Each structure stands twice: as structure tokens, then as C-alpha cells.
């Protein structure tokens, strides 16, 4: 993972680095914060967690690339000892084909969460269960035979199935969210609602800091934005960061996408739907309100 150059607005670089010294990374719930208080250069370290997104800097394969057996990683040997069949999709992949797989597995009641497009331990477990149920070699990777069987037993997902509006029900907005342009963030419902003049434009699930590194509550504003940013303390990527409180930011988290609420941030507001956050990032302006409340 190489260090990314961030586009920073309204603050000089020195001030931005000072804020980013408290930037967030994923952690297990209840873990203690890092001791460092001085900015350091990002390294290639990846977030912790058994189902975490790999830290490789190479881009995720496109659905077309993933469909090609020659471009996919090798599957583990079959139980019968026959030559392994290279998978169409496997643990660590992140693309729209994985999102479709997850939506189809959800139709088959093998997955409960909304599709994320990231192939982690939950998807692997669901694929293994499917393979075992249908007499296929239970590798947890999707080879061509598994993919054909999944397609035969499910229907093509709708856009809403691929990208549900939100998994969590949006809470009643705080009164401070009812005027102007606001990122209205409820800790109770674990949702972020992008509101303009009292109307919800879009919403998405969010995750917060642990007891030791809580996400601050109150009225804030977007201080600066960075489409590509790496935490200077935790050395983890923070795409689509919108900083609102001394290093705490709303940003995409691959760890949240992979592990859900089994983990926590170091104080930031994590979003697990990258496509939704990308669209939101383009709409939000520096100076827009941020309300974090129970």
C-alpha cells in the first residue's frame, strides 16, 4: 500500500497533518488506542482482523478479469486429489461480480447482510455451506461449477438487492439536522443520513469508535476532505475522508465492509458502502454541518 497524495481543502498541509495525527483505523471492540501522538509516514501495514481486506496496493480485479480462470488466484486442492480448478471468485476479491454473488446467496438465505462487493470470511463461509449442500467440493472459493449452480438456483438480483438503501432503519433526525446541508449521524440507529433542508437525500450504515476511543458527539462542520488518505497513526487507508473533529472523519472502511459490527474504529465514522460514500463525497462541501447524536 503506497502513500497516497490527498487533496486537502481549506487547511494548509501542516495543519492537515496535525489533524490527521489522530486519524482512525479499524480495531477490535474494546481495544486500546495507539500510544503515538506524533504523525508518522504511512507504511504498507494492513488493518487487523481475520476477514480484513488485503493490504496489497494492486487494484481489485474487474468482473471481467475475475471471470477468467487464468486471471484468478489458484484454489486449494480438492479433497479427491484431482487437479485444482482455478476459482472465478475467491477470498480477497472486491468487484461487482462478488456483489452479485452475495445478493444471490442472500436470496438463498445463506447470507443475511447487505452485499458489500468484498469477498471475506462471511462470503467464504456462505459459499462453503452452499457447496456442501449441493455436493460440491467445499473450498469456499467459487469455481465455474459453483457459480453455474448458484445462478441456476437464484435469479438475477435487482439494483435494490445489489445496493439496498440501507441495512439499518434511519432514526428520527436530531432537530439540528432539519435546516441546511447536514451529515446527520445517529449512534442509536447506526446510520448516516445526508439531509438537505430537512429531507433525507441518501442514507447508509455506519460504525463508530470503541469505548476507549469514542466518536465525539455534538455539532460540527466538515473541515476538509481527502478522496485518498492514509492514517498517519494507524497506517490504514481512509478513502473518501470528510474530517469534522480534530482527526475524526467520515470515511470508507474495508474492515467494516468485511467484518461488520464485530469491530470498531478508533473514533472515526466508518461507512461500508463504498459506492454510496463516493457519491456522497462529491456532494458534500467544506463547511456543511455534521451532527453526531444518540
Amino acid at each position: 500500500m503506497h502513500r497516497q497524495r490527498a487533496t486537502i481543502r481549506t487547511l494548509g498541509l501542516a495543519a492537515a497533518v496535525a489533524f490527521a495525527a489522530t486519524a482512525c483505523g479499524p480495531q477490535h471492540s474494546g481495544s486500546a488506542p495507539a500510544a503515538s501522538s506524533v504523525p508518522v509516514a504511512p507504511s504498507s501495514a494492513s488493518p487487523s482482523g481475520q476477514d480484513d481486506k488485503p493490504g496489497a496496493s494492486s487494484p481489485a480485479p474487474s468482473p471481467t478479469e475475475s471471470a477468467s480462470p487464468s486471471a484468478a488466484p489458484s484454489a486449494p486442492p480438492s479433497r479427491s486429489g484431482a487437479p485444482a480448478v482455478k476459482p472465478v471468485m475467491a477470498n480477497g476479491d472486491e468487484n461487482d461480480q462478488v456483489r452479485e454473488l452475495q445478493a444471490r446467496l442472500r436470496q438463498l438465505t445463506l447470507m443475511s447482510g447487505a452485499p458489500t462487493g468484498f469477498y471475506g470470511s462471511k462470503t467464504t463461509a456462505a459459499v462453503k455451506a452452499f457447496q456442501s449442500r449441493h455436493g460440491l467440493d467445499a473450498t469456499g472459493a467459487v469455481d465455474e461449477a459453483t457459480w453455474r449452480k448458484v445462478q441456476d438456483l437464484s435469479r438475477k438480483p435487482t439494483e435494490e438487492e445489489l445496493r439496498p438503501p440501507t441495512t439499518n432503519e434511519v432514526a428520527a433526525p436530531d432537530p439540528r439536522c432539519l435546516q441546511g446541508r447536514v451529515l446527520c449521524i445517529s449512534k442509536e440507529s447506526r446510520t448516516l443520513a445526508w439531509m438537505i433542508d430537512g429531507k433525507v437525500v441518501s442514507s447508509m450504515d455506519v460504525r463508530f469508535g470503541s469505548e476507549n476511543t469514542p466518536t465525539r458527539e455534538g455539532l460540527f462542520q466538515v473541515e476538509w476532505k481527502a478522496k485518498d488518505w492514509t492514517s498517519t497513526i494507524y497506517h490504514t487507508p481512509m478513502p473518501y475522508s470528510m474530517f469534522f473533529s480534530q482527526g475524526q472523519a467520515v470515511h470508507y472502511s474495508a474492515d467494516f465492509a468485511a467484518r461488520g459490527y464485530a469491530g470498531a474504529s478508533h473514533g472515526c465514522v466508518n461507512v461500508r458502502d463504498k459506492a454510496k460514500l463516493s457519491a456522497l463525497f462529491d456532494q458534500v462541501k467544506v463547511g456543511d454541518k455534521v451532527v453526531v447524536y444518540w
Side-chain angles (χ1 to χ4, degrees):
M1 185 184 311
H2 63 276
R3 187 173 184 175
Q4 312 236 11
R5 189 179 299 275
T7 302
I8 302 171
R9 304 177 187 170
T10 74
L11 291 179
L13 181 59
V17 171
F19 276 120
T22 55
C24 310
Q27 62 167 307
H28 294 285
S29 296
S31 63
S36 172
S37 60
V38 180
V40 292
S43 72
S44 59
S46 62
S48 62
Q50 61 178 7
D51 189 25
D52 203 1
K53 182 178 177 182
S57 59
S58 58
S62 67
T64 302
E65 292 169 338
S66 294
S68 171
S70 62
S74 297
S78 65
R79 289 193 299 266
S80 64
V85 177
K86 292 183 178 179
V88 175
M89 290 169 274
N91 190 25
D93 286 348
E94 184 176 23
N95 53 52
D96 284 342
Q97 190 180 27
V98 172
R99 186 180 291 273
E100 180 181 345
L101 167 68
Q102 292 168 332
R104 288 178 180 272
L105 291 172
R106 196 178 187 193
Q107 292 174 13
L108 299 171
T109 68
L110 290 169
M111 293 193 75
S112 58
T116 64
F118 177 71
Y119 201 123
S121 64
K122 291 182 179 179
T123 305
T124 300
V127 170
K128 282 185 177 180
F130 177 87
Q131 290 168 327
S132 297
R133 181 182 297 179
H134 296 285
L136 300 167
D137 198 20
T139 63
V142 178
D143 57 16
E144 291 183 0
T146 300
W147 184 225
R148 283 196 301 269
K149 192 69 173 178
V150 169
Q151 290 175 309
D152 289 344
L153 296 177
S154 60
R155 53 178 170 72
K156 185 173 178 61
T158 64
E159 183 60 30
E160 187 166 334
E161 287 176 314
L162 291 170
R163 293 177 174 82
T166 184
T167 301
N168 300 327
E169 184 177 352
V170 177
D174 185 276
R176 294 169 292 183
C177 298
L178 298 178
Q179 293 184 342
R181 300 162 54 88
V182 192
L183 293 173
C184 192
I185 301 168
S186 168
K187 285 189 169 182
E188 182 177 11
S189 66
R190 299 191 290 192
T191 56
L192 180 156
W194 169 232
M195 302 182 66
I196 299 178
D197 296 330
K199 295 182 179 181
V200 176
V201 178
S202 64
S203 60
M204 56 204 73
D205 295 349
V206 292
R207 185 178 73 173
F208 303 101
S210 68
E211 182 179 355
N212 292 325
T213 57
T215 303
R216 302 181 189 97
E217 299 155 25
L219 174 63
F220 311 94
Q221 68 177 20
V222 177
E223 297 163 347
W224 57 286
K225 299 167 56 180
K227 185 175 181 180
D228 298 301
W229 187 259
T230 298
S231 169
T232 57
I233 285 183
Y234 305 108
H235 315 310
T236 54
M238 299 168 56
Y240 302 106
S241 284
M242 293 177 279
F243 289 86
F244 63 87
S245 177
Q246 302 176 11
Q248 292 193 350
V250 174
H251 69 85
Y252 170 72
S253 167
D255 183 81
F256 183 26
R259 294 199 293 142
Y261 293 102
S265 77
H266 281 94
C268 284
V269 178
N270 290 165
V271 177
R272 59 182 167 190
D273 193 315
K274 196 172 189 177
K276 282 187 178 181
L277 186 60
S278 172
L280 177 62
F281 183 88
D282 291 338
Q283 297 175 52
V284 173
K285 301 177 181 177
V286 170
D288 286 344
K289 284 196 298 183
V290 179
V291 176
V292 184
Y293 68 102
W294 276 100

